[in-house]
Amino acid sequence: QFPYHVSARCINRDWFSIPMGEVWEIMSGQLHFIHHAFNVRILAFVLMNNHFHSLVATPDANLDRAMAWFMRETSRW
């Protein structure tokens, strides 16, 4: 019923090591995936130079699994 504020930052507060356009493509692709695979509703997503903020709702109470997938796969890319 209530959305979560989810945020994560790069190690040592460093900027992303690839161009922001590529970071956006990777993250938006994984957001699309978790929306369909985990039924995560993305209400807002803001990408900054070294972190992101998002508002998400998880009707299936699976925020832990969805974010584990999202963080692992965006890091791999």
Side-chain angles (χ1 to χ4, degrees):
Q1 179 181 357
F2 300 103
Y4 293 97
H5 171 233
V6 178
S7 181
R9 182 177 30 199
C10 293
I11 297 172
N12 296 326
R13 299 183 180 178
D14 290 336
W15 284 22
F16 292 111
S17 60
I18 59 176
M20 287 298 287
E22 291 180 38
V23 176
W24 178 258
E25 290 298 320
I26 291 166
M27 293 210 171
S28 62
Q30 292 304 321
L31 288 169
H32 179 79
F33 179 85
I34 66 170
H35 169 70
H36 292 287
F38 295 97
N39 192 30
V40 172
R41 298 188 182 143
I42 294 97
L43 306 173
F45 185 81
V46 178
L47 181 61
M48 308 299 281
N49 290 326
N50 66 353
H51 67 285
F52 70 85
H53 294 271
S54 60
L55 288 176
V56 298
T58 56
D60 299 338
N62 59 351
L63 179 65
D64 56 339
R65 289 183 287 133
M67 289 313 299
W69 174 274
F70 180 78
M71 296 304 294
R72 182 181 60 245
E73 295 304 315
T74 55
S75 295
R76 282 183 185 174
W77 277 92

